[in-house]
Amino acid sequence: MGCQTLHLNPQFLYNAPNTRRFSLQPNLKLLKTTSLSSNNLNEPLSTATINQTQNPTTHSSNVNFKTLGDCKLGISRYPDFDYNASGGAGSGTATKLSDGQVYVEFDVKKLSIPPLSTATTTFLGLPLPPFLKIDIVPVAFQGEINQESGKVDLKFIAEFCFSVGSLYKARPLLVETVLTSEESKGKMREGRGERMDGDGKCRLVGVATVEPINDLFMDTFLSLPTECLANLNAVISFSTTE
């Protein structure tokens, strides 16, 4: 037995900027075209016109994501876990939408987030028992970032896989939320993030509803359905590509 990953296609969950499900809609502008009249059909087109037509200007770059220490994770009405996520990292692409606004998409196959374990996590001041582990398996991570204001809104979908040594492995808990630098508020849980500073450092929060997984122990222990809160300290940086 192991953590069985649900084969979700992020394209159906959060598509390209003009077809996304949740309300992070960019202000897209229609490209204005100029028709050629019969009077100028025989006139040669300038090199600039040809280049503009065949090679429209694109603004793309690489984006990098790193998780830091001083994070928190909470579920149900239990106190929050203190979580050191140092070492987590991922990369992806960023496409300019408008002044300062970019759409980013991370490669979840290369996105790693440290598990909750005795080495990374404490609960009520005590480390998690050595045999308890919660793996985080990203399924989708994409959204919009305003490089001028520092505002971040990233759709995050992941499976949380609980295990107790080799004795017990629960079905994955599917968590879907928007990690934001603003405020995230549910019925039970809430948090407020911090916008990116000049070094790309930010705090991202997100409240999600966790549904039952048809596992009697987990459903009862966590009082599913319930809410969970992610509070991540992170750094986001960009590098230009040709």
Side-chain angles (χ1 to χ4, degrees):
M1 297 180 66
C3 175
Q4 299 177 352
T5 302
L6 298 178
H7 297 288
L8 302 178
N9 189 339
Q11 293 180 351
F12 293 99
L13 296 166
Y14 186 98
N15 293 325
N18 60 340
T19 58
R20 279 162 277 159
R21 283 179 53 192
F22 68 101
S23 58
L24 295 178
Q25 298 297 330
N27 296 322
L28 299 179
K29 297 181 180 179
L30 295 178
L31 179 64
K32 184 177 180 180
T33 58
T34 303
S35 60
L36 296 176
S37 67
S38 58
N39 295 331
N40 58 17
L41 285 177
N42 296 324
E43 296 180 4
L45 294 175
S46 67
T47 302
T49 302
I50 294 174
N51 289 338
Q52 185 177 13
T53 303
Q54 295 181 348
N55 300 300
T57 301
T58 57
H59 302 275
S60 62
S61 61
N62 293 323
V63 59
N64 296 292
F65 180 83
K66 294 182 179 180
T67 51
L68 306 175
D70 190 25
C71 302
K72 292 182 180 295
L73 291 173
I75 189 166
S76 190
R77 298 187 183 279
Y78 293 107
D80 291 343
F81 293 91
D82 291 313
Y83 171 47
N84 182 355
S86 296
S91 62
T93 57
T95 304
K96 184 176 180 180
L97 301 178
S98 60
D99 292 341
Q101 194 81 357
V102 294
Y103 167 76
V104 300
E105 182 173 3
F106 293 91
D107 184 352
V108 293
K109 294 180 180 179
K110 299 178 181 179
L111 177 62
S112 64
I113 301 177
L116 279 72
S117 66
T118 188
T120 63
T121 310
T122 60
F123 182 69
L124 296 177
L126 299 174
L128 289 185
F131 49 83
L132 179 61
K133 185 179 180 182
I134 305 173
D135 289 301
I136 303 174
V137 183
V139 176
F141 193 35
Q142 49 201 329
E144 292 183 15
I145 297 173
N146 191 305
Q147 293 177 290
E148 294 182 356
S149 68
K151 182 180 178 182
V152 180
D153 288 297
L154 299 176
K155 185 75 170 182
F156 180 66
I157 303 174
E159 293 174 342
F160 284 64
C161 303
F162 289 71
S163 62
V164 181
S166 60
L167 300 177
Y168 171 73
K169 295 183 184 297
R171 294 179 179 179
L173 295 177
L174 184 64
V175 174
E176 180 176 347
T177 188
V178 174
L179 291 175
T180 180
S181 58
E182 311 307 295
E183 182 181 26
S184 183
K185 189 173 184 179
K187 295 180 179 179
M188 296 171 53
R189 292 275 185 171
E190 63 180 86
R192 177 172 289 279
E194 298 173 7
R195 295 190 176 190
M196 289 171 50
D197 62 17
D199 297 321
K201 187 176 179 180
C202 58
R203 182 169 293 277
L204 305 178
V205 299
V207 175
T209 298
V210 183
E211 299 295 341
I213 57 174
N214 295 321
D215 181 302
L216 181 61
F217 172 73
M218 291 296 293
D219 289 352
T220 303
F221 179 67
L222 297 177
S223 301
L224 301 180
T226 190
E227 288 182 350
C228 69
L229 170 67
N231 188 321
L232 295 178
N233 197 17
V235 173
I236 302 174
S237 59
F238 296 85
S239 59
T240 304
T241 60
E242 297 295 336

